[in-house]
Amino acid sequence: MTVHIPSPLRSYTKQQAEVNVDGSSLEEVLSALDSCYPGFRFRVITEQDTIRKHIRIFVNEEQALDLSAALRRDDEIHIICALSGG
Amino acid sequence: MPTLKPATSLVVLLIGTRKGALILKSDRSRRTWKLSGPQFLGHIVHHLVLDPRDRRTLLAAARTGHLGPTVFRSTDFGKSWQEAKAPPAFPKVPEGQKGLVVDHVFWLTPGHMSEQGVWYAGTSPQGLFRSENGGTTWEGVTGFNDHPLRRQWTGGEQDGTPDGPKMHSILIDPRDPNHLYIGMSSGGVFESTDKGKTWAPLNKGCRADFLPNPEPEYGHDPHCVRLHPLKPDRLYQQNHCGIYRMERAEGRWIRIGEHMPKKIGDIGFSLVLHPRDPDTVWVFPMDGTEVWPRVSPEGKPAVYVTRNAGKAWTRQDKGFPKSQAWWTVKRQAMTADTHEPVGLYFGTTSGEIWASRTAGASWTCLVRNLPEIYSVETAEL
């Protein structure tokens, strides 16, 4: 499936704005991303497996609040750096 | 007491800012300086530190506004960087429990000179981490992080700085790698004599005016703690409640800030030791009255120096603005070199780097218009 990568994380993905990985849940997708791009997951997910405060993850157009969301092969994942700060 | 010969080497300032890291290099006379960077533009760099054991390796504690915290490592003095494979992180707790999350790595300390590759990191919230491979992977020091009293020692998330509670001032006794001190805002000063397996509070004599009991066993707010490398049983601290000195054998903090001028007070964040004279200390006082403006008192920046371990203090403000200068200096943003006379350096909340080649007698602004400066460390090459 396609994962859209925000600009602050593209140093991990060799500047790719979209990457394709497999997984049947967000947890699996993030593990796959971390395998391909070491260090990626910890910048987005805390050591307690929660989504970081200023990160949002959408499955298609629905926001995921944890990593358990089941995914279909044609889902699109958007990782967003939430509006914050000034 | 061992001695230290004055250096004649190039001085390099390692500058961490709210928007990246910069490096400022001098010539041998310390008169001409060249700025390079920024590196990690847009990242918050809390600390940038050279490994004194090889004088090549740099570690940077970084995060961005959105992304989680990490540590970057360079083995070629900043030409290239690699990210830690396992940055400092608390252990995952079982489902249903609330575990700690590292918000940022605040402090980095190279290990003992005999322990090649060892580093310590202090985090927000207060956690102590150790690397044995030059910062590539980090493990929690469980004797502190998992201690059953950790929550009582450190208080809650509200018991810290506006930017979050912090562990800082990780000090290693140069005679013994097992002998460690840490400072916590809040929590106080703690000591371990077994490389972090067990800890004991070391706060006797130190005030905590903000607590119902102003002389508790722990819960204090040291802002910056220093140990003199040539006289390791002497400690100094700039605390939320004054400036203190301790002779370790006595085990009691003495408030040497009481000898500061009353209209200046003895509140501040940074404290710097003379590399060869354990009786000489510099501080940068700030306005800690009423709502804690955290600016130079009356908008008139000044350094104060004692040359007799705190019995008397002298104002040093030659070269600083005489009025309307509302900046101050954060806890790891003031440092010294080992030349003669000693060079002093600090970075301000308004993005200026100031230097004195005359042990504080006169000051020059080296750089302006940087982002808010979080840390300044000296490297001598």
Side-chain angles (χ1 to χ4, degrees):
Chain A
M1 68 194 62
T2 302
V3 182
H4 297 267
I5 308 295
S7 61
L9 284 162
R10 289 180 198 161
S11 62
Y12 291 89
T13 60
K14 302 184 176 73
Q15 299 307 321
Q16 296 176 90
E18 293 178 11
V19 298
N20 283 291
V21 293
D22 291 328
S24 60
S25 68
L26 268 182
E27 176 60 63
E28 287 185 18
V29 164
L30 283 157
S31 293
L33 284 167
D34 203 60
S35 296
C36 299
Y37 311 113
F40 185 101
R41 186 182 189 280
F42 190 66
R43 303 307 294 276
V44 177
I45 306 296
T46 75
E47 56 265 60
Q48 305 304 335
D49 290 342
T50 57
I51 299 167
R52 290 198 182 276
K53 191 162 60 175
H54 298 295
I55 296 288
R56 301 283 180 270
I57 301 179
F58 287 82
V59 177
N60 302 318
E61 292 182 7
E62 191 161 331
Q63 184 175 343
L65 299 178
D66 58 45
L67 306 184
S68 64
L71 302 177
R72 294 189 312 262
R73 185 170 286 214
D74 58 348
D75 283 336
E76 283 200 22
I77 312 292
H78 290 261
I79 299 175
I80 309 281
C81 289
L83 294 178
S84 50
Chain B
M1 194 173 77
T3 57
L4 177 69
K5 198 175 160 191
T8 56
S9 48
L10 300 179
V11 176
V12 179
L13 300 183
L14 307 172
I15 304 165
T17 81
R18 191 163 187 270
K19 298 291 180 183
L22 299 106
I23 292 180
L24 188 57
K25 285 186 184 170
S26 77
D27 60 4
R28 287 189 186 280
S29 70
R30 301 176 293 170
R31 288 176 190 277
T32 306
W33 295 80
K34 188 176 174 191
L35 185 67
S36 63
Q39 306 203 36
F40 310 115
L41 179 62
H43 291 240
I44 301 163
V45 177
H46 280 284
H47 216 181
L48 175 63
V49 180
L50 176 73
D51 189 338
R53 295 159 294 194
D54 67 10
R55 297 190 185 193
R56 244 188 0 260
T57 300
L58 293 172
L59 258 58
R63 62 161 294 157
T64 74
H66 294 94
L67 307 181
T70 194
V71 173
F72 291 101
R73 176 176 188 251
S74 171
T75 54
D76 52 14
F77 204 77
K79 289 193 185 78
S80 61
W81 294 88
Q82 300 80 43
E83 186 176 347
K85 287 183 179 154
F90 290 108
K92 172 95 163 60
V93 298
E95 199 77 28
Q97 293 182 24
K98 188 168 186 272
L100 290 165
V101 169
V102 173
D103 182 79
H104 56 272
V105 179
F106 183 69
W107 187 277
L108 295 165
T109 292
H112 190 271
M113 290 302 276
S114 68
E115 294 187 314
Q116 200 72 24
V118 170
W119 285 77
Y120 289 92
T123 61
S124 172
Q126 301 93 326
L128 181 63
F129 294 84
R130 178 178 158 97
S131 171
E132 299 193 348
N133 50 22
T136 303
T137 61
W138 295 83
E139 296 279 342
V141 176
T142 54
F144 179 82
N145 295 354
D146 297 345
H147 196 285
L149 289 177
R150 180 197 168 280
R151 175 67 175 75
Q152 283 96 314
W153 287 344
T154 61
E157 288 184 8
Q158 74 282 9
D159 294 320
T161 77
D163 190 29
K166 298 182 191 307
M167 179 176 290
H168 57 86
S169 302
I170 303 164
L171 309 175
I172 300 164
D173 188 331
R175 302 162 301 188
D176 178 4
N178 297 322
H179 187 198
L180 310 174
Y181 299 94
I182 53 174
M184 293 182 289
S185 298
S186 66
V189 178
F190 281 67
E191 181 183 33
S192 171
T193 55
D194 53 13
K195 202 179 276 191
K197 291 189 184 73
T198 60
W199 293 88
L202 190 66
N203 299 299
K204 274 184 196 154
C206 186
R207 300 279 294 177
D209 293 342
F210 47 88
L211 293 176
N213 170 10
E215 294 194 19
E217 188 182 7
Y218 47 79
H220 301 70
D221 185 5
H223 288 171
C224 180
V225 190
R226 304 279 191 188
L227 166 159
H228 201 284
L230 302 183
K231 194 173 184 179
D233 288 327
R234 173 171 290 179
L235 299 162
Y236 291 93
Q237 68 161 304
Q238 171 67 71
N239 189 284
H240 187 93
C241 299
I243 307 166
Y244 294 84
R245 186 193 73 232
M246 176 188 279
E247 308 300 333
R248 182 63 195 87
E250 296 170 6
R252 186 170 187 83
W253 294 99
I254 306 296
R255 189 166 183 173
I256 57 176
E258 285 183 343
H259 304 123
M260 286 280 289
K262 288 287 173 279
K263 74 169 193 172
I264 299 297
D266 65 343
I267 307 304
F269 277 93
S270 46
L271 182 148
V272 172
L273 307 184
H274 191 293
R276 292 176 294 280
D277 177 8
D279 290 343
T280 295
V281 178
W282 291 269
V283 293
F284 192 95
M286 66 164 209
D287 187 341
T289 60
E290 294 182 10
V291 297
W292 273 64
R294 294 180 170 82
V295 295
S296 298
E298 299 180 321
K300 299 172 183 173
V303 166
Y304 279 77
V305 61
T306 177
R307 296 189 180 85
N308 48 22
K311 293 190 185 75
W313 296 87
T314 303
R315 186 178 177 93
Q316 296 181 313
D317 61 1
K318 189 177 176 187
F320 291 147
K322 296 297 176 200
S323 65
Q324 297 288 3
W326 300 103
W327 38 262
T328 191
V329 178
K330 296 200 170 206
R331 72 188 79 201
Q332 63 271 62
M334 187 170 177
T335 185
D337 64 27
T338 63
H339 283 236
E340 182 59 42
V342 168
L344 295 172
Y345 311 93
F346 65 76
T348 71
T349 49
S350 60
E352 296 173 356
I353 296 284
W354 286 82
S356 171
R357 288 184 298 113
T358 54
S362 63
W363 291 85
T364 307
C365 185
L366 300 181
V367 181
R368 296 184 198 277
N369 303 319
L370 299 183
E372 180 178 5
I373 294 171
Y374 281 11
S375 62
V376 179
E377 294 285 352
T378 313
E380 294 182 73
L381 303 179

